[in-house]
Amino acid sequence: MTDGIAAALHDLEQAFARYPRRLVLERCPHCGPPVRVGDADLFWLSLKLGNTIGTADDAKALLPLLFERLVTTDELDPDIILGMLANLNWRSWSPAEQNAVDRFLDQTWRVLLSEFPPRIGAFHDAASFLRSLTAATLSPTRFLAVWDETTGQSADRHLATFIEGAQFSTRLDPAIRQWITRESLQTRLFHAFERESSDPTWSAAFANAYDLVSASSSV
């Protein structure tokens, strides 16, 4: 775990410290007996937390733990955890709580781009991170700006992999589509192709990504 993520997790603990972590959470009357948090599978609990199990405050109390597990294990689904933010209307939370979530996401994204392949828990690639933003009703714009600022082999390889896997259709987020089809991004891919020309696998990947972006730009 990097210092940046460790600090972001500490901020989360501080921001949500006023919500007590209860050992036992009530369930919807039709859903069964109360749940002992320590005995529950965390993935299963994340599906129901703040909905049929516990309250919104219980979800906020466990949020630092859920985020910590997102970046240290593969047991949780980022779409579910960030979707929980949307369900809880997280942009109505206090500034300190919102800022702590934003900082965690910013730090996670920067670390993800700095390593290829990434080694950051349940975020397996750039696509999985950006997809989870949709679940949290977050615009990808600021994260794409960070990608522009992040240079080097790892960030470029993430870029080629993301473009090769992207579906250039109406389902692609408009902000991402616009970002992908910029001339500056084509130039970046071309320079990456030149830099890795001695590696047949990656030079082919950058060439393919360049062609995909060029074709999409001309449509």
Side-chain angles (χ1 to χ4, degrees):
M1 183 184 300
T2 67
D3 290 343
I5 289 183
L9 289 172
H10 175 74
D11 285 351
L12 282 165
E13 290 284 358
Q14 294 294 106
F16 294 94
R18 66 189 185 96
Y19 302 101
R21 291 188 184 180
R22 297 194 293 155
L23 298 179
V24 179
L25 303 180
E26 300 83 5
R27 299 178 73 175
C28 158
H30 305 290
C31 297
V35 175
R36 290 188 60 84
V37 175
D39 297 335
D41 174 79
L42 202 56
F43 174 78
W44 173 83
L45 185 60
S46 71
L47 292 169
K48 305 171 185 295
L49 189 59
N51 186 8
T52 59
I53 295 179
T55 66
D57 283 358
D58 291 318
K60 294 170 84 169
L62 289 170
L63 195 63
L65 171 63
L66 295 173
F67 277 175
E68 186 269 334
R69 295 292 178 85
L70 269 184
V71 294
T72 58
T73 76
D74 202 21
E75 65 184 299
L76 299 179
D77 185 326
D79 290 2
I80 292 172
I81 303 304
L82 270 67
M84 186 172 69
L85 295 178
N87 293 337
L88 295 172
N89 193 23
W90 74 290
R91 282 308 191 192
S92 68
W93 296 354
S94 73
E97 292 167 359
Q98 292 186 55
N99 290 340
V101 172
D102 280 326
R103 182 178 182 188
F104 168 81
L105 294 173
D106 289 341
Q107 290 297 320
T108 299
W109 178 237
R110 290 179 184 278
V111 171
L112 187 152
L113 292 179
S114 72
E115 301 177 323
F116 191 95
R119 297 185 294 276
I120 189 160
F123 292 107
H124 299 149
D125 52 28
S128 65
F129 183 93
L130 293 174
R131 184 180 62 248
S132 69
L133 296 180
T134 301
T137 63
L138 264 170
S139 168
T141 301
R142 84 169 191 261
F143 299 95
L144 298 177
V146 169
W147 207 343
D148 281 334
E149 299 166 359
T150 307
T151 60
Q153 184 184 76
S154 293
D156 287 346
R157 288 186 173 186
H158 275 295
L159 182 59
T161 302
F162 178 74
I163 291 171
E164 287 190 304
Q167 298 297 316
F168 290 93
S169 69
T170 55
R171 290 179 297 175
L172 190 64
D173 187 293
I176 296 177
R177 172 183 286 278
Q178 183 179 13
W179 182 79
I180 283 178
T181 55
R182 294 171 307 147
E183 184 176 349
S184 60
L185 195 117
Q186 296 178 51
T187 301
R188 177 173 180 170
L189 290 168
F190 181 75
H191 288 326
F193 165 77
E194 289 185 315
R195 186 189 64 233
E196 302 214 27
S197 58
S198 61
D199 185 322
T201 299
W202 280 107
S203 61
F206 284 116
N208 185 44
Y210 180 91
D211 289 342
L212 287 170
V213 169
S214 299
S216 179
S217 300
S218 62
V219 174

